């Protein structure tokens, strides 16, 4: 539990800038979508991903350089330090990918695609995160939980990116999705 607290604490710190950027993506997407400026909607999406990915990638690199240092800030024992450092090293790899996920769901929200937003979040949590971490633990013990968590970050980013691009090309650009 202590190692998860360490991972979760750093996750929240790393995610704060990306959450801010995804909020801007949602607002700018809604504004431009409502004005019929689809090229600007597209540019907002990719600019948001680029900015959030860059910040999160930088954070990932910093954590990967010395995960023991970061885990040591909160660890009270040698075993927690070891487990926490290993958890940070593995889960940090997925941080950058979550920028794609966050900007994709924000874009859905900005275009009034509430069902897609909800479906993406429910799928990530219940259909991916819970089974992947459970199976990771079952087959590979605690380290498998961290790898499952990282895998979900990467898979959900790839799936959301492809889904967003599909919806944008075939539904938004074609006019099947209209501003509210």
């Amino acid at each position: 539990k202590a190692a998860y607290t360490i991972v979760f604490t750093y996750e929240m710190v790393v995610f704060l800038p990306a959450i801010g950027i995804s909020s801007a993506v949602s607002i700018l997407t809604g504004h431009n979508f409502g004005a019929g400026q689809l090229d600007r909607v597209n540019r907002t999406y990719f600019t948001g991903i680029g900015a959030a990915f860059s910040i999160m990638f930088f954070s990932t690199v910093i954590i990967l350089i010395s995960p023991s240092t970061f885990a040591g800030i909160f660890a009270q024992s040698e075993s927690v330090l070891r487990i926490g450092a290993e958890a940070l090293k593995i889960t940090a790899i997925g941080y950058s990918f979550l920028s794609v996920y966050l900007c994709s769901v924000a874009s859905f929200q900005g275009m009034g695609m509430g069902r897609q937003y909800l479906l993406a979040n429910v799928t990530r949590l219940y259909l991916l995160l819970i089974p992947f971490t459970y199976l990771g633990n079952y087959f590979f013990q605690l380290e498998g939980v961290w790898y499952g968590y990282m895998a979900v970050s990467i898979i959900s980013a790839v799936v959301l990116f492809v889904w967003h691009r599909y919806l944008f090309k075939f539904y938004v650009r074609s006019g099947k999705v209209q501003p509210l």
Side-chain angles (χ1 to χ4, degrees), residues 78-154:
E78 189 61 38
S79 63
V80 171
L81 174 62
R82 184 179 41 76
I83 294 167
E86 184 67 19
L88 278 175
K89 187 169 57 174
I90 295 167
T91 58
I93 295 168
Y95 289 172
S96 299
F97 292 94
L98 282 174
S99 60
V100 176
Y101 175 84
L102 291 170
C103 289
S104 295
V105 295
S107 184
F108 286 155
Q109 191 176 26
M111 290 186 287
M113 297 177 160
R115 275 186 244 139
Q116 288 78 1
Y117 176 86
L118 176 64
L119 184 58
N121 286 313
V122 168
T123 299
R124 183 177 193 290
L125 178 61
Y126 296 109
L127 299 180
L128 293 174
L129 190 60
I130 291 173
F132 270 70
T133 54
Y134 176 80
L135 292 172
N137 182 58
Y138 183 80
F139 289 110
F140 305 107
Q141 287 71 48
L142 185 57
E143 194 172 274
V145 171
W146 312 127
Y147 278 109
Y149 198 84
M150 178 194 64
V152 168
S153 297
I154 295 168

Side-chain angles (χ1 to χ4, degrees), residues 40-61:
R40 290 171 76 182
V41 168
N42 208 31
R43 199 167 351 135
T44 297
Y45 177 68
F46 283 106
T47 302
I49 288 174
F53 188 91
S54 298
I55 291 168
M56 293 177 83
F57 183 77
F58 177 75
S59 300
T60 296
V61 170

